[in-house]
Amino acid sequence: MLPADSSRRLVAELQGALDACAEQEQQLDQSLRVCRRLLGTWKPAGVPEPEPSHEDPSPGAPSPQDLKELELLTQALEKAVRVRKSPSKTAERAKVPNQKPRTKAPTAPAPPQAPGRTSSHTSVTRPTRSSHQPKVLTTGHQEHRLRPAQERATLGTGARATKPSLGDPQVTSAAPRGPEVFTLKEKGSLLRLPLAFQKTVSQNSRLWAQLTSTQASDTEEAAARARFLQKMQAASGRAAPGLSMAQVEAEVGTLRRACWLLRLHMNNETAAAPADWVQEYRRVLTLEGLQTMAGQCLRRLQELRQAVAGQQLDPWPLGKPPQACPCRGGADANWKPQLLLYSSTRELQSLVAHQLHTTMLAQQLHLQKVLMAELLPLVRGTPSPSRLALCRAVHSLLCDGGQHFPVALRDEPAD
Amino acid sequence: MGRRRRRLERQAGAGAEALPEAIAALSRTLPTRPNPETFRRAKFDLPEAAPALWRLLFHVLLREDDGTAVPYPEAQVRLVKSALRAHGYPRPALTQLPEDGSQGSRELLLALSWLLAGGSLLGRLLTRTHVLTGDQMPMCEIHQYTQGCHSNQSLGHLSAAETELLRDPEAGQQLLWRLERENGRLEAALEWRRLEPIFWQWMDTVLGACPQCPSDTGPQPTFQAAISDRGHEELELVTRELQALWQELQLAAEARRTAWEAQVQIQGLELSTPQVLVSEAMVERQLATLRQAWEQWGALPHGPHRLVRCESRALPGGGLWGTEAIKALRSKAACLEAELHWLQGQCQQELAGLAGALPEVVWIPPHGH
């Protein structure tokens, strides 16, 4: 029914839309999985032998301070081991995070004798980036191996809420000893991000802040840039165009939106039943105001048309200006990573629902335009007999979202 | 500021030595990390620098994310040319560069500098590839349960990504590395800012090395003529729609005003001046809000936004509030719906006309139309 190239184009568009939906679905599934896992119980991972150093090293070298603390701690432990009996030995072994599992103690609960020290101790377990691992002093008959990757047996330590991590997260000293498993609900607020990560993230924020502030204050560079642009323009032998095509298209997009919003408001006003006379007066004013605004938009369009007609402007190659495009002199406020703040679950749900609804509408609109562009010329061009069936089919597609069909009756002349 | 000025003065004197640093910093900030040598070769228009610069410009102008497919080199060349001209790149020499991408390194260097001189290129590029440690998907419970434990006070709670990192540290390694790489780029960008003046001095010499351009008389490549219609088409379309709307508004406003004035006369009512003023002010406010709605379209959440749960309304550092985002999304949805219904209405009218023109056919549209 459809000519080959037309159907190819339509299929490509529809397939693209379907693929986009599938991808969204996949992303949602993925994040659901992640969340479910996080909200469930966190078990200590088994006690497999920690991998040797060829694994990915975690970043962040232990500082000399940390090393020193570790030394002191280890010495203290050695001493304690010598002095105490075996139950305490078990406790200490359990406290030390990076044991090899041949000590039988790893999963035994142990009192966090010095949670603060534990933290600083464990924070040293982050080895250097190089594949070489610094070895730490032994306590008696154990060897600590500073493993490159963090292991999961740290639940053997006293601080039950401590999570295995890149340089264990710090735990508040109120960390209770509890069962081995752990849920986010109960203990989530006790978590602490690993130090290396915290440092990197805060450095990231700092650098972004610096970058945005230099952007704001660099008048000399701005002058140098402006001078360069002028020279480029002068050297090209052409007069500067008033507006680039990209800018024109952006403005046309804005005016298109304006058109629809104005129309929406017009419909609201005209559909409302006549009310008391003061309200009616306001309605009149509103409609006249909308008319004025529409007039202003039209005038702007005229100006744009003239700007376009005056030069050989080429359009954006891919049919739409990419949002990420470095448009000249565009708003700079947008280019810093931002926060989106919500205050309740309901608000978040509402936000997400609206986002989804808008995306769906945008896709629907796009498909509507594509279908109109392909199908209407077809209907117009089809000769009379088959046109009727085509009209019915196309009507359903274009006017109703495929929900209903119009009825066509053939009215035979009676005789 | 004083320290900065002194540093700049020092640099002006030491311009020659600082130039390699400036170029190296720039190179580390850009997406494809071109070899700094490429820049210097480009000054002398050496052909071996051309492919890297075509590729760089393609990434900078056209590649929105890492997922989009990269077309073969000739297509890249065409797209880059087209994109630069769409942005208003002034020099005609660009159009004349051969499409196999083998030449034109100096012109491409000028094009890159022209984009940089626009001011916000680097910022946008960095934002485009920003590593997200926050959540964009709703992860409410995780936000709730981890309240109070983030080191960054203005955030307050962990994101799912961060919590996941705690649960599975090896997976978290990737995130950390990407962050560190980004930090490297940010530092390079800061250094570039510091050394920028030297770069612009150098670019002046590059521009000077170009032969004088003849005034623009060259013919446009033919393939562009075919697609140049689309931009104009959009303009025409919007113009037509706005004109139709204006006419409808004129009729509606006139009708309503006439009716109102008639009513006033019949009932002998009269508006007092305060009433008039209040009404006018109200309407003006409403219309101003309306105008804001389409002008501030860009305030909607797009680009990297980290979701943060914050129960008090007083958060330092600012950000976009969810309620505002919802309002903006609502108006956007209303706008899209209005357009969709109007288009559907147009189709319906046309089809009714086409079908109705057929002899002996009674066309009954579905209910509601």
Side-chain angles (χ1 to χ4, degrees), chain A residues 28-44:
Chain A
L28 283 170
D29 272 340
Q30 163 84 342
S31 50
L32 266 178
R33 259 203 310 271
V34 166
C35 284
R36 283 212 181 98
R37 210 167 43 193
L38 287 174
L39 290 170
T41 50
W42 296 22
K43 294 190 181 37

Side-chain angles (χ1 to χ4, degrees), chain A residues 129 215 288 296 335 380, chain B residues 127 180 193 257 350:
Chain A
R129 264 224 164 141
Q215 176 79 1
E288 290 173 348
Q296 287 167 350
W335 61 266
R380 288 177 203 133
Chain B
T127 310
E180 289 184 338
R193 281 243 174 275
R257 182 169 271 275
E350 173 153 8

Side-chain angles (χ1 to χ4, degrees), chain A residues 222-267:
Chain A
R225 281 186 228 133
R227 273 197 305 272
F228 179 73
L229 287 174
Q230 277 168 8
K231 285 193 194 146
M232 282 272 282
Q233 193 66 52
S236 73
R238 276 200 216 164
L243 286 171
S244 70
M245 194 64 189
Q247 286 171 313
V248 168
E249 285 208 23
E251 272 213 59
V252 169
T254 310
L255 290 169
R256 200 183 78 239
R257 283 195 293 273
C259 178
W260 295 115
L261 282 172
L262 287 169
R263 181 171 281 283
L264 192 66
H265 272 253
M266 176 183 79
N267 291 343

